Amino acid sequence: MMRALAAALLVWSGAAAAAPTRVVSLNLCTDELVLLLAAPGQLASISFLGADSNETALAPRARGLPTNNGRLDSVVALAPDLVFTGGGSDRYARELAIRLKLHVVDVPPPQNIADIRRNIASVANALGRDAAGTALIAQFDTALGPTPAATRSALLLGGGGTTAGADGVGAQLLRHAGLMQQDVPAGQVSLEQLLAEPPQVIVQTKYRSSQASLGQSWLQHPALRSLPPTTRTITVDGRPWTCMGPLVAPEIARLRARLQ
Amino acid sequence: MTRLNLSLAALALLLATASLCSDPAGMLALWQRSPEAARAILIELRLPRALLALAIGGSLGLTGAAMQGLLRNPLASPDVLGPSTGAALGAVIVAYTFGIAGTLAMALGGIGGSLAALGLLLLLSRGGASTATLLLAGVAISALGGALTNLALSLAPSPYALYDVLFWLLGSLADRSLLHVAVALPPLLIGCALVLSGRRGLDALALGEDVAASLGVDVARLRLRIVVGTALAVGAGVAVAGSIGFIGLVVPHLVRPRVGGRPGAALMPSALAGAALLCAADLVVRLPVAGHDLKLGVVTALIGAPFFLWLIVRQREVIEP
């Protein structure tokens, strides 16, 4: 109900006001959305992560755009007419936004696949780019494809054994590649668990794999060589899983293609 | 070997065996289903885990007892005086500033950081600083090391370095490999041997520096030997298992009353009791608590911090009649 009301308000305000021309995004996940949806010249600043090719494949599109550090006070001087935040901001930032009469649109992290579409639509609407939003959602759905009937057990695996919840949006996305995410408590798998109950498919992300870290060393543990031959490891880009936004659909499509 | 040493060694070995054999039913079932996986779990995960628990727990107990003997103060220990935070700083700089997260590089960084922290402490102790001054200086060095570690992580190329290291800093022996054992054990054992070689000197030092000198103990050399040994042992241990607090502080106090209060005689039993205690703590962290893994440093701190408080209160009673 509240969501519908908010959406209706957004539609109304979007229709009433002219399209914003000094748009600021403070979060990697909203960076991706505005880089895909905004018209040329609409963007005034995105977060520094949105311009980092370690984080998003859209970084080349951000070339030349000013970056911010993700905090509201760092962009006030740009006099933005629209600010995107990803999943709420702290109380101080909210009060600052009210005092300065800034138009802030919050884009919460998706809890399910419908949320991904809803986020695309709400950002497109706030930008006055509804048509671009509709097109991106159609593209997203095409890439995501239907849920195949046959499923294999799988584990999304990042550095240090980080993985996805069995009922979260990550698991729902994997289902579109015909994969059923294993239930691992606390979002982290130990090598012992992995060896005792190996999945049929390990979806290993390449996220920041070139940077030395303890998490990356974990992925090179010699015990992983003892995984049974029935377990297949597929390496994926990994970057789209941070936000699980529109870019995750092509990642799923690539994964599905490699599994067939 | 005394009876105390024998029984402590037996206890440590028993706990290490329990660590190897935890969940026997599950392991047996896995052995029938997939012997290769069961073998890998036993040899490549649980064996290094048990060996590291014994070695690192032992080195913490030993160096704690040695530092308390050297400074003649019951509050001295590697995690209070700076070598542990120094080691963490050294390992973090090597891994996250220079981007070499190899086990050997981190161990060298840990030993270097630990040596630097203790070297600074020794430098401050020149000219006969009081033990209270040394303890305070150690606390300050420790705080500085912690702050510099966070700074190094904040300045690291990866924005998630801090998150990556957080769990490591809390201490863990999970998912270590035989490579970790091969890299950490040599410096750790050499360090422990150096510290142990100072046991006679520490006993003499308990009677005062002048008495020790008249007994033929070269106090400056003894100090150097213990500091270098501690840096080697703690540096290698922290680089592999993160910061595990309170073992070095608590264990010597448990042991000392049983050896007539002689700091030199307390070294070996402190090492064995430290090994047993860390093995026990590592068994506790594997108990499933609502599906979450506990962290080793958290468990040792939960045991150690109340003990530390009790120690301070009891000390006050001794000081204030």
Side-chain angles (χ1 to χ4, degrees):
Chain A
M1 177 63 199
M2 284 306 284
R3 270 221 172 110
L5 198 67
L9 270 172
L10 266 174
V11 170
W12 174 78
S13 66
T21 54
R22 292 183 311 282
V23 178
V24 163
S25 159
L26 295 177
N27 177 280
L28 171 66
C29 303
T30 52
D31 291 345
E32 287 189 342
L33 287 164
V34 297
L35 285 170
L36 286 167
L37 292 166
Q42 247 187 325
L43 297 180
S45 170
I46 60 163
S47 85
F48 69 101
L49 291 175
D52 183 347
S53 53
N54 280 311
E55 291 295 333
T56 172
L58 295 174
R61 289 200 197 190
R63 210 164 288 145
L65 265 182
T67 56
N68 61 66
N69 64 9
R71 286 201 304 271
L72 190 59
D73 46 23
S74 72
V75 296
V76 168
L78 297 170
D81 51 5
L82 175 60
V83 178
F84 286 109
T85 58
S89 42
D90 57 56
R91 202 177 119 197
Y92 161 73
R94 277 202 301 276
E95 283 171 1
L96 185 68
I98 292 167
R99 249 198 334 270
L100 297 173
K101 300 191 173 62
L102 289 175
H103 181 202
V104 177
V105 173
D106 186 50
V107 183
Q111 304 299 314
N112 49 53
I113 294 174
D115 280 354
I116 303 176
R117 296 189 195 98
R118 195 175 297 131
N119 284 346
I120 297 172
S122 88
V123 169
N125 184 269
L127 289 166
R129 303 266 297 158
D130 286 311
T134 313
L136 185 58
I137 291 171
Q139 229 179 313
F140 174 81
D141 283 331
T142 312
L144 197 59
T147 322
T151 54
R152 281 176 265 191
S153 68
L155 200 67
L156 183 69
L157 195 63
T162 46
T163 184
D167 49 4
V169 62
Q172 293 168 34
L173 288 163
L174 283 175
R175 237 165 273 162
H176 283 265
L179 299 174
M180 193 66 108
Q181 166 76 12
Q182 278 186 334
D183 192 4
V184 175
Q188 192 163 27
V189 68
S190 71
L191 287 170
E192 202 168 315
Q193 274 168 283
L194 194 55
L195 285 171
E197 287 161 56
Q200 289 169 287
V201 179
I202 292 176
V203 182
Q204 188 173 321
T205 83
K206 269 195 305 198
Y207 177 75
R208 286 192 181 266
S209 57
S210 61
Q211 281 176 335
S213 71
L214 295 169
Q216 287 303 320
S217 317
W218 187 93
L219 289 170
Q220 272 131 38
H221 196 289
L224 285 174
R225 287 198 289 262
S226 301
L227 281 168
T230 46
T231 295
R232 186 173 162 197
T233 300
I234 295 180
T235 312
V236 294
D237 181 335
R239 292 174 296 179
W241 296 94
T242 308
C243 288
M244 294 194 260
L247 293 185
V248 84
E251 174 109 329
I252 292 292
R254 287 191 296 269
L255 184 57
R256 190 175 43 226
R258 290 184 57 188
L259 281 164
Q260 272 157 11
Chain B
M1 232 185 184
T2 64
R3 241 173 72 188
L4 176 66
N5 282 348
L6 273 178
S7 46
L8 282 173
L11 178 66
L13 282 179
L14 187 74
L15 287 163
T17 314
S19 165
L20 280 174
C21 306
S22 62
D23 184 25
M27 278 305 283
L28 214 61
L30 182 64
W31 192 272
Q32 278 151 6
R33 205 169 62 234
S34 160
E36 170 73 351
R39 190 203 60 83
I41 287 177
L42 267 179
I43 304 296
E44 292 187 46
L45 293 172
R46 290 189 181 181
L47 184 64
R49 189 170 187 157
L51 288 175
L52 288 171
L54 286 174
I56 292 171
S59 72
L60 289 172
L62 176 71
T63 53
M67 293 186 88
Q68 291 181 7
L70 187 67
L71 296 178
R72 279 171 283 163
N73 190 296
L75 299 183
S77 80
D79 43 317
V80 176
L81 287 180
S84 289
T85 38
L89 174 63
V92 160
I93 287 179
V94 166
Y96 290 89
T97 309
F98 297 116
I100 323 165
T103 311
L104 183 62
M106 283 183 74
L108 289 177
I111 291 168
S114 189
L115 263 179
L118 281 173
L120 188 59
L121 192 69
L122 266 197
L123 215 65
L124 293 169
S125 78
R126 282 171 78 177
S130 73
T131 35
T133 312
L134 269 186
L135 274 176
L136 286 174
V139 171
I141 291 170
S142 217
L144 182 68
L148 288 174
T149 304
N150 281 319
L151 181 69
L153 289 172
S154 300
L155 298 179
S158 165
Y160 302 112
L162 191 62
Y163 175 80
D164 191 44
V165 158
L166 187 68
F167 290 126
W168 173 71
L169 283 179
L170 288 174
S172 172
L173 290 170
D175 297 344
R176 299 305 187 266
S177 67
L178 285 169
L179 177 70
H180 287 108
V181 179
V183 165
L185 235 48
L188 199 144
L189 292 179
I190 293 170
C192 287
L194 266 177
V195 172
L196 267 173
S197 71
R199 63 190 299 257
R200 290 240 171 99
L202 282 177
D203 274 343
L205 193 64
L207 305 168
E209 280 194 28
D210 296 338
V211 180
S214 72
L215 288 171
V217 174
D218 184 342
V219 178
R221 263 188 71 180
L222 173 70
R223 192 176 289 152
L224 191 67
R225 192 182 289 181
I226 287 178
V227 162
V228 171
T230 301
L232 279 173
V234 172
V238 167
V240 161
S243 309
I244 297 164
F246 290 104
I247 286 190
L249 180 70
V250 174
V251 163
H253 292 279
L254 297 174
V255 166
R256 216 175 291 115
R258 284 164 187 79
V259 293
R262 293 197 343 266
L267 290 183
M268 197 60 195
S270 290
L272 295 169
L277 189 60
L278 192 57
C279 277
D282 192 41
L283 283 173
V284 173
V285 297
R286 277 184 276 176
L287 296 175
V289 178
H292 294 269
D293 271 351
L294 294 172
K295 291 294 165 198
L296 202 51
V298 175
V299 173
T300 55
L302 279 175
I303 303 167
F307 186 81
F308 194 74
L309 287 173
W310 173 75
L311 198 68
I312 291 167
V313 171
R314 205 182 63 159
Q315 280 254 311
R316 201 182 55 192
E317 280 165 5
V318 174
I319 295 163
E320 299 164 349

